[in-house]
Amino acid sequence: MPELCHPIRTAGVRSHPALILILIGAALGGCSGGDFGRTRADFRNDDMHRWLGAEATGSVGLKASAFQLSENERQLRDLAYPLIEPPHSRPAWKSVFGDYQPLPSPWRQNVLFDRTNYGRALIDEPHRSHTSRYQQLIEDVRNDITRFEPFFASAVHVIELDRRRAASLKLVSELSPAEQADALARMEENTLIVQWVQQCLERRISSYRWALERLVIQTPDTIAADADRLIGELAAQTANPPVAAQPVIERAVTVKG
C-alpha cells in the first residue's frame, strides 16, 4: 500500500534556532494583551476594582465593608480607576499582561507625588516630531475631560443613595451592630473614592502644566495654546465638581517638584 504520509521538512527551521524563539515570543506576545492595549477579557471580572474601597479605607485606618458591591458602586470604581491611574503610565508599546496592579491611595504616608514625572516621561520618550509631544499631552488632557462627566454623574448618584441609606439605618428593624458597621464603612469607602479621584485630578492638572511649560521653552509651537485651553477647562471642572463629598479625613498630600 502506498505511503500516504509525507515527511515534514524541518531542516530550514533547525538551522535557525533563533527564528523559533522569535516565533514563540511573537505568539506569546500576541496573547499578552487585548486589542489596542486593552486588558484581555479573561483578566477582567465584575469586581476587579473592588480593592479601591479597601485601599482607601485601610490607608486612613478604617475597616472596609463586607457588603457586596451594588451595580452603582461597582460602576463608580470602574470609572474611578482610569482617573486614579497616572496618565501616560501605559505607553502603546507596553504590554498590559500582568501590568494591572492596585495603586496606593494619596493618604499613604510614604507616597510622594512628583509633578515632574509625567512631563519628563513625555519629553524623554522618542517621538517622530516635537508636535507629537504636544498632541500626546492634548490627548491625555482630553481623555480626562471625557472621563470627568461619567465619573461624577456616577458619584452624584452613589452619594445620593448613601444619604438615603444613612437616613434608613434608624428605621431598619433588628439592625445588628455588624450590619450598621458595614453600612457606615461602605459609605465611607464611596466618599473616599470620590475624594481620591478629586485629588488625582488636581495632581494631573499640576503635572500637565509643568509638562506644557517645559515643552514651550524647549520646542515652542502655536499648538501650545490648544493644550493650555484644555488644561484650563479641566482645571475649571475640577475646581467645581458636581458633587461635594463630605471629608472622611483631611490629611495633606505631600507634593514634590
Side-chain angles (χ1 to χ4, degrees):
M1 186 172 182
E3 179 66 53
L4 298 180
C5 297
H6 301 283
I8 299 174
R9 298 177 62 185
T10 58
V13 176
R14 288 174 183 168
S15 62
H16 298 284
L19 178 61
I20 299 176
L21 294 178
I22 293 173
L23 292 175
I24 293 173
L28 293 176
C31 298
S32 64
D35 295 339
F36 305 109
R38 292 191 295 265
T39 304
R40 278 174 41 178
D42 53 337
F43 285 102
R44 302 193 197 104
N45 62 74
D46 288 342
D47 284 344
M48 68 181 294
H49 296 126
R50 182 186 178 93
W51 60 268
L52 285 170
E55 167 60 20
T57 53
S59 67
V60 296
L62 299 175
K63 185 178 179 181
S65 175
F67 284 169
Q68 296 294 320
L69 292 175
S70 70
E71 292 182 4
N72 295 313
E73 291 167 340
R74 187 178 296 116
Q75 182 187 55
L76 180 74
R77 286 151 178 76
D78 290 343
L79 294 172
Y81 184 78
L83 292 169
I84 287 172
E85 184 183 37
H88 206 46
S89 63
R90 289 185 186 175
W93 51 265
K94 188 175 182 181
S95 167
V96 299
F97 179 72
D99 189 46
Y100 178 89
Q101 60 181 348
L103 303 167
S105 88
W107 296 283
R108 291 288 181 190
Q109 294 269 348
N110 59 345
V111 176
L112 295 178
F113 167 58
D114 187 346
R115 67 191 292 253
T116 72
N117 282 342
Y118 169 83
R120 293 183 188 281
L122 182 66
I123 293 169
D124 291 344
E125 282 183 1
H127 288 75
R128 288 187 298 174
S129 67
H130 74 272
T131 57
S132 64
R133 291 184 172 87
Y134 283 102
Q135 289 165 350
Q136 180 65 61
L137 172 61
I138 288 172
E139 180 182 351
D140 290 339
V141 179
R142 187 178 286 121
N143 285 342
D144 287 346
I145 293 173
T146 301
R147 296 179 182 120
F148 188 96
E149 192 280 331
F151 170 77
F152 279 100
S154 177
V156 167
H157 190 50
V158 169
I159 296 300
E160 175 57 32
L161 290 176
D162 277 347
R163 291 193 185 102
R164 298 183 186 183
R165 186 195 331 232
S168 68
L169 284 177
K170 55 187 154 193
L171 304 176
V172 176
S173 60
E174 299 179 1
L175 181 68
S176 70
E179 288 176 317
Q180 179 165 342
D182 279 327
L184 294 174
R186 177 50 49 78
M187 290 186 285
E188 291 171 340
E189 283 182 37
N190 294 335
T191 298
L192 284 169
I193 289 172
V194 175
Q195 293 176 342
W196 188 346
V197 169
Q198 289 172 331
Q199 291 197 37
C200 285
L201 283 169
E202 292 172 0
R203 291 178 169 192
R204 291 161 99 95
I205 293 165
S206 178
S207 295
Y208 292 148
R209 283 178 169 154
W210 189 93
L212 179 59
E213 290 168 356
R214 267 61 195 178
L215 287 175
V216 167
I217 63 174
Q218 293 187 26
T219 53
D221 195 292
T222 55
I223 198 175
D226 295 332
D228 185 59
R229 176 182 56 80
L230 286 172
I231 295 172
E233 181 180 341
L234 180 61
Q237 289 180 329
T238 301
N240 298 282
V243 60
Q246 295 299 318
V248 173
I249 186 169
E250 296 185 19
R251 182 183 300 169
V253 177
T254 304
V255 178
K256 173 186 175 184

